[in-house]
Amino acid sequence: MDSQILQLLQEGATSVSNLLLKMYKRMSLSDDEMMLLIHLLSFQQEGNRFPTLTELEERMSMSSMRLIQSLQKLLKEDWISIDEFIDPQTGMRHEQYNLTPLYRKLYQTWREQQTDPHLMESINEPFRQAAVSLDEEPVAIYGRFEQAFGRPLSPFELESIHMWTGPDGYSEELVLTALREAATVGKLHIRYIDRILLEWQKQQITSVEEARHYSMNFRRQSISRDNRQPL
């Protein structure tokens, strides 16, 4: 029994925004469509960003035809998209589901909710708390990046930020510290920020204070090496 319980615990859990669960009906998503999105999130958090229809069918009770129709509807109505990327290790081209459009629609619906006094009056207290807590979710961090970059973010950039603050487990404060570090050295692009976060992870850095201290020492060492180079 103990080994079976341990196996169940090791399966992990899927992180789904409470705000999304509370608002998907208002966003005109059906229960089947929402469950499909949850499974796509689950696969992503397990490291599979482009599950096959067979893999989805094994987890869901809907028919193959209904599953295909639901995927097509989500793609056609821009709830999700399919992105292509090239694996830097193998050079092979791959596809992945991008759920950034879903979060954009969630954010837009939430913003409309805040500006409609009639709708606000109908919100119960738990829903109100969920709406306020959006600032603590990955959605709120996008504006800080757009302000720093001076332009709207691309789908790839939005997805990267979502992965950092979601499955990758970086705190929002640490991600913003990496953004500031990239701005300090004049390298404001998403891949450089990703390298910063990976380096901090390698050094087992988890707090903003540790990150700032490490970056300061790194810059000092870089300046010292430059000064020792012969002219």
Side-chain angles (χ1 to χ4, degrees):
M1 176 65 75
D2 290 344
S3 63
Q4 292 175 333
I5 293 176
L6 180 60
Q7 183 179 358
L8 288 173
L9 292 174
Q10 289 175 338
E11 286 292 324
T14 298
S15 175
V16 182
S17 166
N18 285 333
L19 188 63
L20 177 59
L21 291 175
K22 289 178 179 291
M23 297 195 73
Y24 79 86
K25 179 180 178 182
R26 188 179 299 278
M27 295 163 70
S28 300
L29 284 167
S30 69
D31 290 346
D32 282 350
E33 291 162 353
M34 185 62 210
M35 184 54 66
L36 175 54
L37 289 168
I38 290 174
H39 279 294
L40 291 177
L41 280 169
S42 177
F43 274 110
Q44 279 197 353
Q45 293 174 24
E46 292 171 6
N48 183 355
R49 297 194 178 188
F50 199 66
T52 65
L53 288 174
T54 300
E55 289 173 324
L56 288 167
E57 284 180 46
E58 289 175 351
R59 296 192 181 185
M60 303 188 68
S61 60
M62 65 175 63
S63 66
S64 300
M65 182 59 66
R66 175 60 181 157
L67 178 58
I68 292 171
Q69 290 174 344
S70 295
L71 277 172
Q72 289 177 338
K73 183 173 184 289
L74 290 174
L75 287 165
K76 182 179 180 181
E77 296 183 0
D78 198 29
W79 293 99
I80 60 175
S81 62
I82 296 177
D83 294 344
E84 290 187 352
F85 71 98
I86 298 176
D87 189 325
Q89 302 294 328
T90 64
M92 295 182 63
R93 187 179 299 276
H94 298 279
E95 293 180 321
Q96 65 181 19
Y97 286 111
N98 185 346
L99 273 66
T100 298
L102 170 67
Y103 290 105
R104 283 187 176 275
K105 287 179 180 288
L106 174 61
Y107 179 69
Q108 182 62 34
T109 303
W110 175 78
R111 292 292 296 176
E112 292 171 357
Q113 186 82 64
Q114 304 308 295
T115 57
D116 189 330
H118 299 292
L119 288 175
M120 284 301 294
E121 290 175 1
S122 66
I123 301 176
N124 57 28
E125 186 59 26
F127 189 93
R128 191 188 305 275
Q129 291 174 356
V132 172
S133 70
L134 181 63
D135 286 338
E136 301 171 3
E137 302 248 349
V139 173
I141 202 174
Y142 297 156
R144 302 285 292 277
F145 271 78
E146 289 183 339
Q147 183 179 11
F149 285 15
R151 57 171 175 76
L153 299 176
S154 69
F156 172 76
E157 290 167 336
L158 288 165
E159 179 67 12
S160 296
I161 297 168
H162 169 64
M163 294 300 293
W164 291 338
T165 55
D168 291 345
Y170 298 117
S171 69
E172 182 175 317
E173 292 78 10
L174 198 64
V175 172
L176 290 175
T177 302
L179 171 63
R180 286 190 288 269
E181 176 65 19
T184 299
V185 298
K187 296 183 178 181
L188 270 175
H189 49 84
I190 214 75
R191 294 191 184 278
Y192 185 77
I193 297 170
D194 189 52
R195 290 200 294 271
I196 292 174
L197 291 169
L198 288 173
E199 176 63 20
W200 288 348
Q201 184 181 53
K202 180 181 177 182
Q203 300 297 327
Q204 298 184 334
I205 291 171
T206 58
S207 71
V208 171
E209 184 178 353
E210 291 172 340
R212 288 173 176 168
H213 182 72
Y214 178 83
S215 297
M216 186 178 299
N217 286 339
F218 181 82
R219 285 196 294 271
R220 286 174 179 171
Q221 292 171 6
S222 298
I223 293 172
S224 178
R225 285 195 299 269
D226 292 341
N227 290 337
R228 287 200 299 267
Q229 290 180 356
L231 297 176

